[in-house]
Amino acid sequence: MNEISLTIDGRQVKGEEGDTVLDVCKANGIYVPTLCHKDGLSDVGACRMCVVEIERERRVMPACTYPAKDGLVVKTHTERLERYRRLILELILSEHEHNCLVCEQNGNCELQNLVYQYGIDKISLPINKLVEPIDDSSEVILRDPNKCILCGRCVRACAEIAGQGILSFADRGSKTIIVADLNWPLAQSGCVSCGACIQACPTGALTEKLARFQGRSWEFRKVQTTCPYCGVGCQIELNIKDNRIVKIYGVEDGSDNKGNLCVKGRFGFDYVHHPDRLTTPLIKRNGKFEEASWDEALDLIATRFKELKDKYGSDALAGLSSAKCTNEENYLFQKFVRTCFGTNNVDHCARLCHAPTVTGLVQTFGSGAMTNSINEIGDAACILAIGTNTTENHPVIGREVKRAVDNGAKLIVANPREINLCHFASLWLQHKPGTDVALLMGMMRVIVDEGLLDLVFIEERCENFDAFKQSLNDFDLDFVESVTGVPRDNIAQAARMFAVNSPATILYAMGITQSSHGHDNVMATANLAMLTGNVGKRSTGVNPLRGQNNVQGACDMGALPNVYPGYQAVADPAIRGKFETAWGCSLPASPGLTLIEMLEAAYRKEIKALYLVGENPALSDPDIRHVWESLAKLEFLVVQDIFLSETAKFAHVVLPAASFAERDGTFTNTERRVQRVRKAIKPIGDSRPDWWIICQVAKRSGAKGFNYSHPFDVMEEIRHLTPSYGGISYQRLENGGLQWPCPTDDHPGTPILHVNTFVRGKGRFVPLKYVPPAELPDENYPLILTTGRSLYHFHTGTMTRKVVGLNNIEPESTVEINPRDASQLGITQDDKVKVSSRRGEVITKAKVTEASPPGVVFMTFHFAESPANILTNPKLDPISKIPELKVCAVTVRPLMK
Amino acid sequence: MKKVDSLKALDEIKGRVRPLLAVREDLDYTKIKEAPQVDILVCRGTGCTAAGSAEAEDAFRDAVKSNGLQSRVNVVKTGCRGFCEKGPNVIITPSDVLYTEVRAEDASEIVERHLLNGEIVERLLYKDPVTGKSIPFNHEIDFYKGQTRVVMHLNGLIDPWNIAEYIAYDGYRALIKALTEMRPEEVLGEVTKSGLRGRGGAGFPTGMKWGFVHSAAGEEKFVLCNGDEGDPGAFMNRSVLEGNPHSVIEGMAIGAYAIGNVRQGYAYVRAEYPLANETLSHAIHQAREYGFLGENILGTGFSFDIDIFPGAGAFVCGEETALMVSIEGKRGNPQQRPPFPANKGLFDKPSVLNNVETWSNIPRIILNGGDWYSSIGAKGNAGTKTFCLVGKISRSGIAEVPLGSSLGYVVFDIGGGPPGGKRFKAVQIGGPSGGVIPLEHINTPVDYESVTGLGAIMGSGGLIVMDEDSCMVDMARFFLQFTKDESCGKCTPCRVGIPKMLEILERISQGEGKMEDLDTLEELASMVAEASLCGLGQTAPNPVLSTIRHFREEYEAHIIDKKCPATVCAALFRAPCQHTCPVGLDCFGYAALIKEGKSDEAYRLIKQKLPFPMVVGRVCHHPCEAKCRRAQVDEPVAIRHLKRFAADWALEHNVEYIPEIKEKREERVAIIGSGPAGLSAAWDLAIYGYQVTVFEALPEAGGMLAVGIPEYRLPKDVLKKEVEDVRKLGVEIKQNSRIDDVTSLLKDGYKAIFIAIGAHEGARMGIPGEDLEGVYEAIEFLREVNLGKEVRVGKKVAVIGGGNTAVDSARVALRKGADEVYIFYRREKKDMPAIEEEVLSTEEEGVHLHCLTTPTKILGDNGRVSELELVRMELREFDRSGRRTPYAIEGSEYKVAVDMVIEAIGQRPDTSLIKDGELKIGRGGTIIADPRTLATEQKGIFAGGDAVTGAATVVEAIAAGQRAASSIRRWLQGKELSPLVERDGYEPIAIPSILPTEEETQEKAKVRISEIEPKERVASFKQAVSGYSPEEAMEEARRCLRCDLEV
């Protein structure tokens, strides 16, 4: 950037080429009033508040759009400018009747501030008293056009921040209004309720519906923390009044999300204050839960675990940790299981999502985490989004994908369903569920055949290429077309597109992993990245998108049966020795059971006691009827959660945990970024943070090393035992998150993995074979069921079903079915239907939609009333032990009307 | 079709087609019958098509066929010649005969009579609205004769759907020349040299614009044609697209070549122009077929194509950045510049946008050279500009003139001025973004700088003519309404500022304005103009600013006087007649009462507001009739005659109306002068009970009514009767009482004084010989005659002047025995200030009217007038009154033998009664008083009438008297003076609220009144014009449309 020099208000100031005059003013502390300008949005020069006088310009010019040039002479506060600004404010005030008394933005309104600043105490122009109807159709957003100043920030936020483009200007002149789609009520428009518009609005025209009259800006205490939903790790600012979260803003400065949030992140918080929150320990007596004191419950737990351990041995005990809990809590939990239970039987729900990522990427690259960073996605030249419904499940990353498309990137979507991203894609590969290996190998076959591979990269950085190349022989395009159902030309086109446009990046999620050959799927993506030299560079890589807020952290913290924190193998004696020394006890050498294996063992009565924190396998695991049976067989089950979940109902003791807003700690997001979680409110009722509870159970079980005054102490212990977290401290995190590996206090963190060398040394190509899904449609079960999540709910709905706005938007389960299948089955829109598999049946509502391809139906697993996982197949991937949640054979029948 | 691949191939087409078109330029009328080829050119532009030219075209084909003329007669559809008002237009060639308003049913008549018999069908010829003469030949019509057609030169001559006809007139020759003989830089150089400036409005030099884009970095650039013409009343671009689309295509292709790296052009044409879209689309298709568009044009390696982008009707999409984002598929909102389109235009690529007219100039510039083009027009303003001349104009249509032609040339020489002899007031130039240029600037050269200097803009060339019936406040309101609706709504100043200005204007036009509103308007307007994002907002205030600048007094009339002088702002008045009448007579009211047979009530209604109905009913210049809406049907209601009827009827039936004085007041008021102003003031003050004394210097009361107006117009007894009424009310009128000391009256106990001494002194010309015997001032002459003094009238009398005094003098001289009476007037007859009927009667009576001549010398013989030397005058530029200024033609002096000269060139008051410094005296010797309150700077002394205004009319003097009375009343009551005249104290008279019947609104001329035969008239001073009979009056009253009852 070239430095330039300007004269502003007689002062010599510096700027950079490409700056606007406003940029330079801001950088030099020169105040220029603005309304339509907002950092992070494009500038349009609409409000004209920022007009300045520029030498040699006949008219006054808006500072926000005027390019700063060397030698420019600018005046920002002449009598004329101030007169114009006052007039403009008067015009805005005269456009509507503004009533600050009951305005939500009172005290936080940019218009109010300017009017006050300019001391406009009366308006000489006639005021338009016309009252426009308020749009309150949305569950979460209230639009009051009477407070709208038509600055267009919401329009730009909708397009530029949210990537939606739902809001736009309509009509002309003084009739200009902002509309959603074709002037439809917001609820009937394509609005995804992300609320970016609210955050962008300078006045009270767009407000949080549920926050109305709940508090005014000066009454709020503001706490920055990390969103508790998906793995993107958006930074949010809680606005708190009287120990209650009233509203949430996206943090704009220094965060990956730059203020952007999805509907859940912005509006999905009121579960925290839901009356169903567990507020006291419960002990089941005679089949009924009774309230108990903490001492009573904790002592009972310590006693029972000790009894059972003594009776059946350590390996009859197991612990399930939680991807919703902090790093510190996961660390403590696995430490508790390993030191106190004396077993490695510890796992968590990563098993159901990204276990193959860890195994597959470790095998090929040496590290099972997202190779690159979120903010690089927008700059990619090509994106392959396979098995990820990004805009629904990782909306803020979905926005990055669209940003890349806006910047001219080629987007290849591989998905059986017509997801939103398909509409932005250069190419949509609609492959059959479970045929990812064939599809990817077919693409790689084309790349190799056409010589589009990165030979230098392969030569210098990789190994085992020849064997891999051999394995491509099985994948001629006729075969691939027949297996995947994707026309061979499209496969070839996708291959070329990916190989030619660099940097190219791969995004994937559960569509790749939740498969009986998920491990192979992951390795196929890794092979493709290596084949085209797309590893270790900006905007490239293999990027698994993590589902839970802290699933990465829970893995990092060793809530896995085979590794200690930092993926240090339990089987390695040296490492074990290190932890034995640190924790002051001996540790078991053999890896423990995985999640599904634990439940199987419970079914077989080999596991007798289970300590379960913040998980809900009774709804999330495949074939849940079997899970229920397993849980019922346990002699002692402790569940620690914020609500009485479906799983908690099986428990002997239930402990009330604090929500994310009620505790301190850290989460590690999908891009390996460790970020702070901050206690914003006092725990609800008698609930306690998980770290406190675990320590209490441990201490009452007689364990040592659980005397922590604060999660800070825990992190200090973590970083001393975990090389990749070595440089991560609370002090440093105050300045924003850090991406591991961050081994030392002066290490800046690692946005891109495998830069010069793979973590494992050379990247390893792995030859692959196509294996069909474990269960395919047949006469009795002619349809494939695939499962997933929706934008408006999260996981088993424990939280989102208790959020009024979200649950109103999507109150019930549906099964998506193609019109062709529906008509063959005599099903019409909204019919009640019964979906059956070999494992059971659920009743839900039909949603007839082209989004589902013929032969494939789709359900979410959020709804306890229609639990999709009754149907799913528990068949495991042999390596990663993930069940095949994405493919099972079902039939759908209409219920009698 | 084989592509044209060389100049030779082009020449081959030209060589083949041009001879076939020769007939169209053949002006020889004589050979029509035996002409081997006849082309019937039917205009198929939008205007003519809307008027039915498609049907006419078919009818011509049928008629040609049924007469077996197919072999030699072609029916050709052409584009628009810009004379749409008269459409459908059909031209028969050879001979260039223009038929206007041709219906399908006229076709066979034209074919049979004109083509077969060689006779012109008179009834379908164009009749000049100014001269009223039929003009058979297109090229002889003044409208066309005054034009210089560069852009429009092929419009109406060629078939726009046939590319070969364009080629026949050297079409695409310029493109071939550019591509094969010139480097791009040379083309650029030629365009720069031509001095062509953007015809879209801003006038940015085209060569410079192209140069910017030529040198901007970029592998992909665009040329764009702005055909989004959206100004109300502008249609010149449409005409070019419809009449000569290939010139635009060729221009764009040349531009693309010159600019470089341009492969694609877009023509943004508004979708409301279906025919233009269709024609251009067809032309593009043909150009591709012929190889003028497409890949590798003429084998030169240059590739270029054009697509049409139909605009969806938003005015703001004519703004260049908005137009570009609109093509990109986004909402057509303007974008802040910089960056400029030359660097970041369409799809962020360097782009040139020119409008239709600019592009269509290019081929001829390349063909004829930049020097040729720059030789047309003015320095810095090369070439021609097309204007759409519309509004209150006799000949409307597209006028193409060299830049720098005067506005008056366009409006009067080409357009023939406002129709119906109305006074020209202003033009709105540049559409809603433009401003008004008033009469006083009528000589302004129309060029970019001059127009901008007057607060208007050239714009795309909309020229809306306004006459005396156009209200400037309303005009500003209209255009703001337009820009308010067409604002994109993006930036605050434009979106909110314009509606707020509009609200203020609406307030003003409803009589609710305040003077501060003008300041607010100006403040808002300047902010909106300066701070708005795009040209729309920046120029939208122009109509407001320029009307305030040029017509401030009209705003003040609305705000202070609650008057709309043009009688447009309907909220301010009940009916135009009443609003226009200086004393606000309820003309519709007495018409309605007369119609009902209630003549006595009609009389009372009149007399309540006018103490002299019989006088005014005879001599008024009746401005009411000029605004009468009945004129839009046929002719105005004879309001003055109805008034006279009611007054005469009352006299005849001994109906007297002397209002009752309800309360006697002690205060005494002195009025100096017993003319209409003085007596009217006396009347009003007396009704209020004040003690009024009127001092009259002359032996007769009545002022000018008594000594200025000849008896044949105003019989003495009529005046006496109405003066008597004033006395009956209790007013003391002292004749032969000259006042020499105004302030002494105050000492005498008068609490207020009204000076209404009139203007009784004649002005002199200041030429040699004025002191000769037999040279009179007209006013002196008339006074002497009126007072019965012996005046020696010559045999050959010359009257100098054109006003009522001149006319009266001439007629009096005739009646006093002159053999020959001449009126010498320096301008044209239509410019004479005298009442038109009077001029007419004067001529009837045998007075010789000599116009465009002025005396230079009075020659004498023995101290007596013997000869008058005159010089002939010619009219040149317009003066501030909107008339052309007369100039003496050197060497054209001539002499006329006369023995009497009456100079009637103006009057001034005799202010000798005012002591030095007592009151201020202004130009023309008039007394200075506040025009609204008539207060002088001396407390208690008021002045009005001719003494203040200079010679004016009777009814204006009466109004002044009433205004003075109102002010004196307020003064005596210790109230603040007001510009609004308060007159009450009369019993209400009910006016029937019955709308005219359907039949009464049908066309019907006014009832004529009888006049004594001229010969008989001149024999005596007997009243020349008699009044209506009751039946006639009722019949005439029925013509009133009762505008007052309109909702």
Side-chain angles (χ1 to χ4, degrees), chain A residues 761-872:
Chain A
K762 291 232 169 185
R764 183 174 178 80
F765 278 100
V766 179
L768 295 171
K769 288 199 176 315
Y770 169 68
V771 181
E775 186 179 78
L776 287 172
D778 57 20
E779 269 180 30
N780 296 325
Y781 299 98
L783 300 168
I784 292 177
L785 169 71
T786 186
T787 63
R789 302 196 324 226
S790 101
L791 174 63
Y792 298 100
H793 285 294
F794 192 76
H795 214 248
T796 58
T798 318
M799 301 188 294
T800 52
R801 294 298 305 286
K802 295 187 176 67
V803 173
V804 176
L806 297 175
N807 203 46
N808 284 349
I809 292 173
E810 191 175 318
E812 57 181 343
S813 150
T814 61
V815 57
E816 291 186 10
I817 183 166
N818 185 274
R820 204 185 75 185
D821 295 331
S823 81
Q824 273 173 10
L825 296 164
I827 293 166
T828 55
Q829 193 68 272
D830 293 337
D831 278 357
K832 279 243 156 144
V833 293
K834 185 160 78 183
V835 187
S836 322
S837 80
R838 290 184 171 82
R839 289 156 294 280
E841 57 190 43
V842 295
I843 290 168
T844 182
K845 214 164 88 173
K847 181 175 173 188
V848 181
T849 168
E850 298 275 359
S852 226
V856 176
V857 296
F858 171 82
M859 286 183 75
T860 63
F861 61 99
H862 306 306
F863 297 91
E865 306 91 317
S866 311
N869 278 324
I870 282 183
L871 308 166
T872 48

Side-chain angles (χ1 to χ4, degrees), chain A residues 111-321:
Chain A
L111 178 64
Q112 189 187 48
N113 290 347
L114 282 171
V115 168
Y116 186 84
Q117 183 188 321
Y118 279 88
I120 296 173
D121 50 359
K122 68 175 200 301
I123 302 154
S124 56
L125 302 163
I127 297 173
N128 185 5
K129 308 249 181 191
L130 188 74
V131 177
E132 305 266 352
I134 290 171
D135 179 4
D136 65 350
S137 65
S138 162
E139 292 293 338
V140 289
I141 300 170
L142 195 75
R143 295 179 62 220
D144 183 353
N146 304 296
K147 291 174 184 150
C148 176
I149 61 168
L150 295 164
C151 66
R153 274 160 54 163
C154 57
V155 174
R156 280 173 282 148
C158 190
E160 297 169 12
I161 301 287
Q164 294 296 327
I166 301 298
L167 294 178
S168 62
F169 287 95
D171 226 319
R172 299 206 154 258
S174 56
K175 291 183 191 149
T176 305
I177 45 164
I178 288 170
V179 299
D181 284 339
L182 299 174
N183 202 2
W184 296 336
L186 205 51
Q188 277 145 51
S189 74
C191 171
V192 294
S193 305
C194 71
C197 50
I198 296 180
Q199 184 148 345
C201 182
T203 70
L206 284 154
T207 50
E208 294 85 352
K209 192 174 184 178
L210 299 169
R212 280 193 96 189
F213 309 122
Q214 300 301 304
R216 288 161 296 174
S217 63
W218 60 85
E219 297 174 302
F220 294 134
R221 191 159 49 81
K222 297 178 166 95
V223 178
Q224 180 174 339
T225 188
T226 302
C227 176
Y229 285 104
C230 78
V232 179
C234 295
Q235 291 299 292
I236 56 178
E237 183 188 81
L238 308 181
N239 284 243
I240 295 142
K241 181 188 168 190
D242 302 339
N243 206 45
R244 207 178 164 84
I245 309 169
V246 176
K247 57 174 109 170
I248 287 180
Y249 287 130
V251 174
E252 294 172 5
D253 296 330
S255 69
D256 267 354
N257 51 306
K258 299 182 186 71
N260 193 9
L261 293 177
C262 75
V263 58
K264 298 186 289 290
R266 191 180 303 274
F267 301 109
F269 57 82
D270 46 324
Y271 72 87
V272 169
H273 304 288
H274 197 279
D276 290 356
R277 271 288 297 275
L278 292 170
T279 52
T280 180
L282 302 172
I283 297 172
K284 194 180 271 173
R285 294 191 175 103
N286 304 320
K288 282 170 82 177
F289 285 119
E290 290 176 9
E291 294 189 354
S293 72
W294 275 103
D295 278 343
E296 208 179 343
L298 292 168
D299 285 344
L300 175 65
I301 292 166
T303 310
R304 284 292 285 146
F305 278 144
K306 186 157 189 325
E307 282 172 17
L308 291 166
K309 179 180 167 187
D310 291 348
K311 191 170 173 188
Y312 299 109
S314 284
D315 287 343
L317 273 55
L320 278 178
S321 193

Side-chain angles (χ1 to χ4, degrees), chain B residues 74 107 130 185 405 481 589 827 857 941:
Chain B
N74 307 308
V130 180
E185 291 74 18
S405 306
Q481 180 70 50
R827 302 180 196 252
K857 211 182 278 178
I941 300 180

